[in-house]
């Protein structure tokens, strides 16, 4: 990999991501000031993630807002690949989706791609990915989504709905397109090549459910965008509107630049981590500090490369003024790493304590969220 090069695909995120370049590479649109104003006008408020450009890019968001303004039926669609426990990075699009749902009142279709994780992960069995799907659902419910307007689709369990529609997509998807979009090779298993057809289906369902063309917005981190390029290319040919997208940046690892990796337990904080584990992980986190305390006091720290600062920015300091103050103090050498880490660990533990309690309560409610198959 050349210096400054980075990779962003649904299955690999590495290197230091240049998000401006990514917008050009993927052909998406930047969320500019005019669009921020429009969102604020429509919803009456602006989420801090949009304000800070953590939610930074989109496709056809304006058309979706128009449908909202005209009070047409609109849907949200997002998902999770259940390959393990949920980490704080996964929570970014989830929390943002909750805000979008609160603002729009839209029904959310939430896909659990247990098939994907079985196909792409050598070590996971079908049972394990399905078990993780049910475990991950608890985290979604804990964020406050309601069963009245939130439906969980599990690819293998809702095969009656998913499979026939994915066939329609697969028939229009050539091997050369799949190779060009995802970089598949001759040794890639054929299930993996088929899989993107399954991730397209929930973008078709609102039109089927409503019985008329219905707009869908897909909040996700930018790594999932390649799937939806395929979706947007194919489903209009089948009579469905193109879904709109809204993309978040990737919350960095606690250790190095890039996506948090499920195989490196230290690189992420999981929603089920204990207080002790959180303290340990934060203590070992990569920072923008200097070699010695004296140097840091004199020269200041670098918040732009500091994972602790990033955690405040993405998640644990929703007040933008307070965030700026904290980052400036760090930059000027007035706040040291130890202090920052202690404060971060305190906030993470406070959040997790509440989340874990809600997560356990969610077990008894889970059935109410499951999608009931429809005739397709
Ligand atoms: P998965 O399980 O890899 O990720 C779930 C969601 O979390 C986002 N994400 C992150 N966001 C911020 N920072 C990070 N470090 C980070 N890591 C992951 C992902 O972009 C995603 O939004 N194939 C999908 C499941 C899926 C889906 C969808 C996702 C099916 N349909 C529709 C979004 C929208 C997957 O494996 O996601």
């Amino acid at each position: 990999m050349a210096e400054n090069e980075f990779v962003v695909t649904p299955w690999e995120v590495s290197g230091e991501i240049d998000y401006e370049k990514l917008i050009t590479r993927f052909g998406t649109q930047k969320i500019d000031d005019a669009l921020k104003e429009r969102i604020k006008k429509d919803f009456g408020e602006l989420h801090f993630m949009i304000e800070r450009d953590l939610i930074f890019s989109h496709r056809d968001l304006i058309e979706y807002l128009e449908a909202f303004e005209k009070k047409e039926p609109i849907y949200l669609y997002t998902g999770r690949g259940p390959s393990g426990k949920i980490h704080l990075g996964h929570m970014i699009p989830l929390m943002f989706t909750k805000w979008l749902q609160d603002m729009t009142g839209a029904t959310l279709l939430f896909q659990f791609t247990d098939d994907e994780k079985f196909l792409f992960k050598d070590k996971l069995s079908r049972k394990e990915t399905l078990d993780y799907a049910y475990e991950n659902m608890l985290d979604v419910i804990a964020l406050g989504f309601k069963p009245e307007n939130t439906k969980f689709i599990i690819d293998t369990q809702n095969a009656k709905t998913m499979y026939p529609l994915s066939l329609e997509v697969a028939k229009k998807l050539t091997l050369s397109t799949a190779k060009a979009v995802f970089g598949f090779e001759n040794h890639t298993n054929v299930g993996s090549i088929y899989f993107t057809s399954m991730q397209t289906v929930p973008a078709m369902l609102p039109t089927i459910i409503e019985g008329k063309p219905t707009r869908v917005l897909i909040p996700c981190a930018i790594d999932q965008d390649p799937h939806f390029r395929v979706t947007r290319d194919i489903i209009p040919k089948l009579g469905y509107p193109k879904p709109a997208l809204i993309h978040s940046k990737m919350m960095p690892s606690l250790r190095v630049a890039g996506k948090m990796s499920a195989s490196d337990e230290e690189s992420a904080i999981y929603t089920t981590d204990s207080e002790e584990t959180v303290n340990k992980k934060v203590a070992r986190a990569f920072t923008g500090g200097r070699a010695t305390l004296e140097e840091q006091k004199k020269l200041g720290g670098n918040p732009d490369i500091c994972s602790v600062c990033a955690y405040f920015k993405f998640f644990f300091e929703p007040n933008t003024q307070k965030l700026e103050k904290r980052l400036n103090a760090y930059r000027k050498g007035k706040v040291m790493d130890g202090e920052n880490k202690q404060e971060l660990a305190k906030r993470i533990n406070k959040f997790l304590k509440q989340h874990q309690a809600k997560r356990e309560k969610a077990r008894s409610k889970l059935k109410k969220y499951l999608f009931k198959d429809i005739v397709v």
Side-chain angles (χ1 to χ4, degrees):
M1 198 161 64
E3 209 188 337
N4 295 331
E5 216 13 276
F6 58 90
V7 178
V8 177
T9 77
W11 303 289
E12 188 191 350
V13 177
S14 59
E16 204 173 317
I17 306 169
D18 179 334
Y19 287 101
E20 292 287 329
K21 269 195 196 157
L22 202 55
I23 284 178
T24 314
R25 198 192 277 180
F26 281 7
T28 66
Q29 307 290 313
K30 187 181 165 137
I31 299 182
D32 58 16
D33 288 344
L35 186 51
K36 286 183 190 177
E37 273 308 308
R38 175 130 181 210
I39 297 169
K40 196 171 174 184
K41 193 169 136 267
D42 280 347
F43 297 160
E45 60 180 82
L46 203 60
H47 197 285
F48 77 83
M49 291 181 194
I50 303 180
E51 198 177 288
R52 292 177 195 172
D53 298 324
L54 298 171
I55 301 288
F56 74 109
S57 144
H58 75 99
R59 293 179 187 271
D60 287 347
L61 182 62
I62 292 166
E63 285 77 353
Y64 188 80
L65 291 176
E66 273 166 8
F68 169 77
E69 288 159 10
K70 287 190 215 143
K71 300 195 171 31
E72 289 171 9
I74 47 172
Y75 277 63
L76 289 162
Y77 156 39
T78 196
R80 157 77 181 143
S83 57
K85 297 173 282 185
I86 295 262
H87 61 50
L88 295 181
H90 300 130
M91 298 285 270
I92 299 297
L94 285 184
M95 292 188 300
F96 184 65
T97 302
K98 177 69 174 64
W99 179 78
L100 284 173
Q101 194 183 47
D102 290 344
M103 295 299 115
T104 59
T107 295
L108 169 66
L109 299 179
F110 198 111
Q111 181 181 31
F112 290 88
T113 53
D114 59 333
D115 52 347
E116 173 192 12
K117 295 301 157 176
F118 171 68
L119 289 165
F120 282 86
K121 301 270 175 186
D122 283 345
K123 293 203 181 100
L124 288 178
S125 67
R126 279 196 296 127
K127 180 174 182 320
E128 283 166 320
T129 57
L130 183 58
D131 288 347
Y132 277 131
Y134 289 113
E135 273 299 306
N136 294 172
M137 283 175 192
L138 304 178
D139 289 290
V140 181
I141 298 171
L143 287 177
F145 290 100
K146 297 281 175 283
E148 296 78 46
N149 58 0
T150 306
K151 292 296 158 207
F152 293 161
I153 298 167
I154 310 174
D155 284 354
T156 61
Q157 306 306 296
N158 291 111
K160 212 170 159 187
T161 306
M162 299 298 292
Y163 183 59
L165 292 172
S166 70
L167 279 176
E168 296 201 22
V169 179
K171 197 170 178 177
K172 298 250 178 273
L173 174 65
T174 65
L175 180 57
S176 63
T177 300
K179 276 183 165 173
V181 175
F182 300 106
F184 293 143
E185 309 270 4
N186 278 352
H187 63 257
T188 306
N189 71 59
V190 295
S192 296
I193 296 162
Y194 185 90
F195 167 72
T196 193
S197 313
M198 293 293 281
Q199 190 150 325
T200 286
V201 173
M204 302 156 79
L205 290 175
T207 292
I208 297 173
I209 295 167
E210 296 296 320
K212 60 177 178 191
T214 302
R215 294 216 173 256
V216 183
L217 174 63
I218 308 175
C220 56
I222 190 72
D223 64 327
Q224 296 297 314
D225 184 74
H227 284 299
F228 301 117
R229 293 209 285 276
V230 172
T231 303
R232 285 165 52 86
D233 181 40
I234 291 180
I235 67 174
K237 296 177 193 156
L238 299 169
Y240 301 88
K242 280 184 185 184
L245 283 125
I246 186 160
H247 304 113
S248 78
K249 293 182 179 171
M250 310 301 300
M251 185 162 169
S253 145
L254 270 176
R255 304 284 261 186
V256 281
K259 185 174 170 175
M260 290 171 226
S261 153
S263 52
D264 178 5
E265 289 257 327
E266 289 287 316
S267 72
I269 289 176
Y270 297 92
T271 58
T272 48
D273 278 352
S274 68
E275 195 173 328
E276 196 191 339
T277 305
V278 169
N279 292 343
K280 223 187 303 173
K281 286 181 181 176
V282 174
R284 289 186 198 143
F286 177 78
T287 72
R290 305 273 172 179
T292 66
L293 217 57
E294 280 71 45
E295 242 183 81
Q296 195 166 342
K297 276 186 185 153
K298 210 162 86 192
L299 303 169
N302 181 359
D304 301 335
I305 59 161
C306 175
S307 72
V308 176
C309 296
Y311 271 55
F312 281 116
K313 186 173 171 189
F314 272 82
F315 202 132
F316 293 99
E317 183 46 272
N319 180 315
T320 298
Q321 260 177 336
K322 286 188 185 163
L323 178 77
E324 288 308 321
K325 214 171 141 198
R326 175 174 293 281
L327 298 186
N328 269 334
Y330 187 69
R331 205 174 277 119
K332 287 184 183 146
K334 287 188 182 140
V335 171
M336 298 292 115
D337 286 323
E339 208 177 321
N340 251 354
K341 283 180 173 175
Q342 219 174 9
E343 182 59 26
L344 179 66
K346 199 172 98 190
R347 292 190 192 191
I348 295 177
N349 282 322
K350 185 173 169 211
F351 169 79
L352 288 186
K353 197 171 164 208
Q354 289 167 357
H355 182 80
Q356 286 165 6
K358 290 184 203 154
R359 213 180 162 275
E360 281 316 305
K361 274 200 196 141
R363 280 185 202 279
S364 60
K365 304 184 205 153
L366 195 148
K367 273 200 183 125
K368 289 191 225 155
Y369 291 80
L370 300 178
F371 179 82
K372 291 199 179 62
D373 279 315
I374 57 172
V375 180
V376 292

